[in-house]
Amino acid sequence: MRTLVYFYIIDNDYHCQPIWTIKMPHPANVLIDDLLKELTEILNFTLYGLRRLKDNGYVFTPSKAADEILGSYKEEINPVETFVEEIIVKGTPDDRVLHKNIGEAFRAWCRKEGHNSLSQYTQNRLIQNTKDILKMKGFTIDAVRSNGDRGLSGIQLKTFPQSNWLAKTDQEEGFDIDDM
């Protein structure tokens, strides 16, 4: 046995238009009973929301709570975007950061932030994602090559005054984001 619940919207001419139908198996009748008890409030809430949407030119109002949830989801799916926002800043055209330093900073940042799915990021994929995100944010970056090392110009790592310091420290002592 199935229970059908129909929700209708009535326009100014008293025409009924179905806007929502729920088909539930028999065990969910308890839920249906609860919904039926609140049906008037649900309909009023829906009509109020529809009126607000119509008054706003059928444009949804941004929600801070929804934006926060979406931001958390994006960070979980692509932590590179959050890494770029937190660690990389615009520099002068003379500023350069080596690809390997971006990789080390990213891995250290991921360890600190608790991102454990680093195996999906090869160095090439990380650099490409970083370049794409920087370009979307309006950064002017160029690929550079010096002494066999590749890097990006026009950016700096936020926590270090000079990219050369990171390259030297990374080779000699190891890089740990907790030291920042």
Side-chain angles (χ1 to χ4, degrees), residues 70-132:
L70 182 60
S72 298
Y73 176 73
K74 281 182 177 180
E75 181 179 340
E76 190 175 308
I77 297 300
N78 185 8
V80 178
E81 190 166 344
T82 306
F83 164 75
V84 168
E85 288 176 12
E86 291 181 8
I87 303 296
I88 297 179
V89 293
K90 282 186 182 182
T92 66
D94 295 334
D95 291 324
R96 291 178 168 80
V97 178
L98 298 177
H99 287 183
K100 66 181 179 179
N101 294 337
I102 293 172
E104 284 298 315
F106 176 70
R107 284 184 283 284
W109 177 84
C110 283
R111 283 191 301 272
K112 182 179 182 204
E113 297 295 320
H115 292 287
N116 297 323
S117 59
L118 297 178
S119 60
Q120 65 178 329
Y121 290 99
T122 63
Q123 182 72 10
N124 288 339
R125 182 175 175 208
L126 170 65
I127 297 303
Q128 189 58 51
N129 283 354
T130 302
K131 284 190 217 178
D132 293 342

Side-chain angles (χ1 to χ4, degrees), residues 89-99 102 134 139-145 150-156 163:
V89 293
K90 282 186 182 182
T92 66
D94 295 334
D95 291 324
R96 291 178 168 80
V97 178
L98 298 177
H99 287 183
I102 293 172
L134 289 170
F139 283 49
T140 303
I141 56 168
D142 291 311
V144 294
R145 186 177 282 251
R150 294 182 304 167
L152 300 175
S153 68
I155 61 170
Q156 290 182 343
S163 298

Side-chain angles (χ1 to χ4, degrees), residues 10-80:
I10 301 172
D11 62 16
N12 290 338
D13 297 325
Y14 299 102
H15 294 107
C16 293
Q17 298 177 10
I19 58 171
W20 186 0
T21 304
I22 300 175
K23 295 180 181 179
M24 295 285 223
H26 182 64
N29 280 343
V30 174
L31 175 63
I32 295 300
D33 290 341
D34 290 344
L35 284 174
L36 289 174
K37 289 177 190 173
E38 303 292 329
L39 190 59
T40 307
E41 289 80 11
I42 293 170
L43 183 58
N44 286 336
F45 182 75
T46 304
L47 291 174
Y48 175 73
L50 180 61
R51 184 179 302 129
R52 283 186 56 210
L53 184 63
K54 185 178 177 183
D55 291 345
N56 200 24
Y58 295 98
V59 176
F60 286 99
T61 306
S63 165
K64 290 181 183 178
D67 290 344
E68 288 174 9
I69 292 169
L70 182 60
S72 298
Y73 176 73
K74 281 182 177 180
E75 181 179 340
E76 190 175 308
I77 297 300
N78 185 8
V80 178

